[in-house]
Amino acid sequence: MATKLYNVGLNVDENLTFGVFRDENIPTPGDDELLIETLYSGANPADIKHSTHLGIYPTRLGYDFFGKVIKAPSGSAFHVGDSVAGYTPTGIGRPAKYGTHQSYLVCPEKMAFVVPENLPPDHAACLKVVAMTAADALYNLFKLPLPGKSTQGLPGNITGKPLLIWGASTSVGICAIQLAKASGVFPILVSASSERHALLSELGATYCFDYKSPSVIEDIKAVLKNWDFDGVPYAFDTVGSPSGVGSAQMVASCASDDAILVSVVVQKDRRFLMPLAVTDEDVTLRIPGVPHRITIPARKEDHQRALNALQWAVNNYGSQFRLVSVDVFKGRAEDALVELKILADKGRGFGKLAIMHPLQ
Ligand SMILES: NC(=O)c1ccc[n+]([C@@H]2O[C@H](COP(=O)([O-])OP(=O)(O)OC[C@H]3O[C@@H](n4cnc5c(N)ncnc54)[C@H](OP(=O)(O)O)[C@@H]3O)[C@@H](O)[C@H]2O)c1
C-alpha cells in the first residue's frame, strides 16, 4: 500500500487571516508543471506583504524554493529526483499549489532551474526573487551590459559612470553589487551600516558610506565631484523604506537631473522605475489607493535578459557571486509564520532566511 503523503504549510484565507494547514492534499501539477517535494523555502517580505498590500489572497504563502522533482511531464527537460530551485507565479487569483512554504509545491517548468553542486540547497532556496529583482534593475532599467560581456568601445560602456546602490546590504543590494561588478561597472558607490563596509568592499563596492551619517549626501556628492559628476547617473534604492526621509528620497538627492532612478517599491516620485522579480507573465494586483485592479504587462525579452544574469550567478556561485548569509529555520509551522511576519513588519536585519521542510 502506498504511504500517505502529508502536506504542512502556511496560508492566508479569504478574510486575510494568516495560518497553518496540515492535510493530505498534495497539489496537482498542470501541463508543463513540476510537482516538487520542498526541502527549503526562501522567505521574502513579499510572502506576507503581497497579501496585505497587493490583494493577493486567499493563497498559500511563499515564492522561492529548493526541492526534489517527484513528478515531471513526459518529454520534460527535468527528471524525477532532480534537485531544482526557482520561484513560482504571483498575482491575484494565485492558486494554492504555487505556495512554496508547504511540503509539496507545483512550479511551472520554465520557472525552475537545476541546482548545480556549487550552489548549496539553502542558498538556492533564497536566490531567485532577489537576484532577478537586482538583474531587472541593472540589465533592463539601467540597461547595463550582462556579466562577462565586453563593453570595450561600445556605447554601453559604463566604466567611469558611477552607480549608487542605496542600502547595499539588503539581499537585493548584495546581488546588485556583485552583478554590477561582473558587468564592469566602476565606480560603485554604496550606502550601508558601517559594520558592513569591509564586506561590501570585498564584494565590489568602490566607495562605502554610512546611511545613518547626517553628512551622507554631502559625502557622496564630494566623491562624485572627484569623478566630474554633479550627481550620480545610475541610482538604485534597494531598501524601499516607507517612513521618515525615505531611502528613495535620499537616492534622488544624490542623483543628476537626467539620472535613471530605480526603487524596489512603488514611489510617489514618478521619476522612479520599479524592477520586478517576475516579468515573463502579466501580473494583476491591487495597489493601495487605487480602487480597481491593475495589470502590469509582461516584458518577455527583459525576463530572458534577467534570466541570463541569474544563470551567470548560478554558474559562478561561490566564486564570483554569493548570498553572504543564510539562516535556516527548522521547527513548527506556527513559528515559521511568526518569522515571516517579523520579516514583513520590521525586517530581520542582514541576510536571508531559509525554512526547512517538512515543517512540524
Ligand atoms: N520589486 C520586487 O520585485 C522586489 C523583490 C524583492 C524585494 N523587494 C523589496 O526590496 C526591499 C529589500 O528586500 P530584501 O529582502 O533584499 O531586504 P533584506 O535582505 O531584508 O534587508 C535587510 C537590510 O536592510 C538594510 N536596511 C534597513 N533599513 C535601511 C535603511 N533605512 N537604509 C539602508 N539600508 C537599510 C539593513 O542594512 P544594514 O545591515 O547595512 O543596516 C539590513 O541588513 C524590500 O522593500 C522588499 O519588499 C522588491
Side-chain angles (χ1 to χ4, degrees):
M1 206 170 83
T3 337
K4 269 221 162 73
L5 300 177
Y6 285 93
N7 197 6
V8 183
L10 311 178
N11 64 359
V12 54
D13 68 15
E14 53 288 350
N15 300 315
L16 204 44
T17 303
F18 294 91
V20 168
F21 66 88
R22 294 179 173 83
D23 61 33
E24 293 171 8
N25 296 326
I26 306 305
T28 308
D31 297 341
D32 306 326
E33 291 188 334
L34 305 169
L35 177 62
I36 293 165
E37 180 185 1
T38 318
L39 298 178
Y40 294 96
S41 53
N44 288 290
D47 299 342
I48 298 277
K49 283 188 184 172
H50 276 191
S51 303
T52 54
H53 290 49
L54 301 179
I56 302 175
Y57 65 94
T59 191
R60 290 186 177 174
L61 308 186
Y63 291 103
D64 271 326
F65 71 91
F66 168 88
K68 292 261 182 225
V69 174
I70 54 175
K71 197 170 173 191
S74 64
S76 171
F78 295 92
H79 303 100
V80 170
D82 280 351
S83 293
V84 292
Y87 59 27
T88 57
T90 187
I92 290 175
R94 180 181 195 239
K97 63 183 177 180
Y98 293 144
T100 60
H101 300 310
Q102 58 181 334
S103 318
Y104 297 91
L105 68 93
V106 165
C107 181
E109 286 176 289
K110 65 179 182 176
M111 298 182 97
F113 63 90
V114 171
V115 176
E117 297 261 303
N118 60 309
L119 176 53
D122 50 339
H123 287 227
C126 295
L127 184 61
K128 194 164 177 186
V129 166
V130 288
M132 288 293 280
T133 305
D136 191 37
L138 265 56
Y139 303 114
N140 299 322
L141 304 182
F142 293 138
K143 302 194 185 306
L144 301 177
L146 282 165
K149 299 276 181 231
S150 167
T151 62
Q152 289 289 319
L154 295 175
N157 187 358
I158 32 65
T159 301
K161 288 190 190 167
L163 164 69
L164 172 63
I165 302 173
W166 194 273
S169 28
T170 61
S171 304
V172 174
I174 292 284
C175 294
I177 193 171
Q178 295 174 93
L179 290 172
K181 181 187 177 194
S183 291
V185 178
F186 187 84
I188 301 171
L189 288 68
V190 305
S191 81
S193 294
S194 51
E195 60 264 38
R196 311 261 176 254
H197 289 186
L199 167 73
L200 297 173
S201 300
E202 185 210 316
L203 294 179
T206 323
Y207 301 100
C208 300
F209 304 88
D210 186 345
Y211 64 82
K212 293 168 197 149
S213 161
S215 63
V216 61
I217 305 283
E218 296 99 273
D219 297 346
I220 289 172
K221 286 197 158 171
V223 165
L224 289 170
K225 269 263 178 294
N226 293 338
W227 286 82
D228 289 331
F229 281 86
D230 284 333
V232 73
Y234 300 107
F236 187 9
D237 163 30
T238 66
V239 181
S241 62
S243 57
V245 179
S247 47
Q249 238 176 300
M250 301 292 271
V251 162
S253 307
C254 301
S256 61
D257 288 344
D258 57 354
I260 304 175
L261 301 178
V262 173
S263 175
V264 281
V265 299
V266 178
Q267 296 294 337
K268 285 208 180 86
D269 181 340
R270 301 302 294 268
R271 293 174 298 167
F272 276 88
L273 305 171
M274 187 179 75
L276 286 174
V278 181
T279 52
D280 69 330
E281 299 291 343
D282 293 357
V283 176
T284 300
L285 312 160
R286 257 186 233 113
I287 289 190
V290 179
H292 50 83
R293 295 172 174 194
I294 64 150
T295 297
I296 303 173
R299 292 183 276 124
K300 294 213 181 254
E301 276 183 30
D302 286 2
H303 182 73
Q304 190 52 51
R305 205 169 298 115
L307 269 186
N308 292 344
L310 175 76
Q311 196 57 58
W312 175 89
V314 169
N315 294 345
N316 292 283
Y317 203 89
S319 54
Q320 295 183 68
F321 188 96
R322 66 194 158 108
L323 296 173
V324 174
S325 166
V326 177
D327 291 338
V328 173
F329 171 91
K330 186 180 176 195
R332 293 172 66 241
E334 285 77 1
D335 296 329
L337 182 56
V338 171
E339 292 290 336
L340 289 190
K341 285 182 173 170
I342 292 170
L343 178 63
D345 287 350
K346 49 183 195 284
R348 294 181 65 255
F350 184 64
K352 292 292 297 179
L353 178 70
I355 296 173
M356 189 188 268
H357 293 266
L359 288 162
Q360 290 156 21

